[in-house]
Amino acid sequence: QVHVVESGGALVQAGGSLNLSCTASGLVFGDYDMGWFRQAPGKEREAVASISRNGYITSYADSVKGRFTISRDNSKNTVYLQMTSLKPDDTAMYYCAAGQRKLLGRLGLSSEFQYWGQGTQVTVSL
């Protein structure tokens, strides 16, 4: 059985930083591209960042480019999202997802990811 678990969400002031982690088990982690998504209240889920299975190719939403960094450690079955210069608009539930389809540099659609975590809450205050 596959489990995907996010951690690291918190309340942080605008301009601050936060590091999210996501650990997957029950699958061959290196066979999956990984993505981070977020969903704010009343809004649709949006892709934030994605990373190829070997970690060489990353993609970011325009809204987070230059502020967020996605990385992974296949030896730990873990993907990370480093977030800096946080803004109140970054407030959302952040989800990690695993997909077998190669994204080839795309962010990816929700439907392209098979396994999802329960999410971790990020709240950015003024």
Side-chain angles (χ1 to χ4, degrees):
Q1 191 173 0
V2 176
H3 292 282
V4 178
V5 180
E6 305 94 337
S7 62
L11 171 64
V12 63
Q13 285 190 326
S17 300
L18 207 56
N19 295 322
L20 305 183
S21 298
C22 166
T23 300
S25 60
L27 51 70
V28 181
F29 190 70
D31 286 350
Y32 288 79
D33 284 12
M34 299 297 294
W36 284 98
F37 290 74
R38 68 185 181 186
Q39 188 167 19
K43 295 187 177 181
E44 292 188 356
R45 183 178 296 181
E46 63 172 345
V48 174
S50 67
I51 187 166
S52 62
R53 55 206 62 196
N54 59 14
Y56 292 161
I57 303 172
T58 58
S59 183
Y60 297 92
D62 287 343
S63 58
V64 306
K65 276 181 184 175
R67 299 189 298 121
F68 290 12
T69 303
I70 188 171
S71 61
R72 66 189 292 164
D73 185 341
N74 287 355
S75 70
K76 296 181 179 180
N77 280 22
T78 300
V79 62
Y80 306 96
L81 187 67
Q82 295 178 282
M83 305 185 293
T84 63
S85 301
L86 283 162
K87 307 173 182 179
D89 283 349
D90 294 319
T91 295
M93 185 71 79
Y94 283 71
Y95 298 91
C96 173
Q100 279 195 302
R101 183 175 183 177
K102 291 185 179 180
L103 298 175
L104 301 177
R106 295 180 296 110
L107 269 175
L109 302 173
S110 296
S111 58
E112 294 180 283
F113 293 86
Q114 289 80 47
Y115 301 108
W116 291 79
Q118 294 299 307
T120 186
Q121 178 67 39
V122 172
T123 303
V124 184
S125 64
L126 286 169

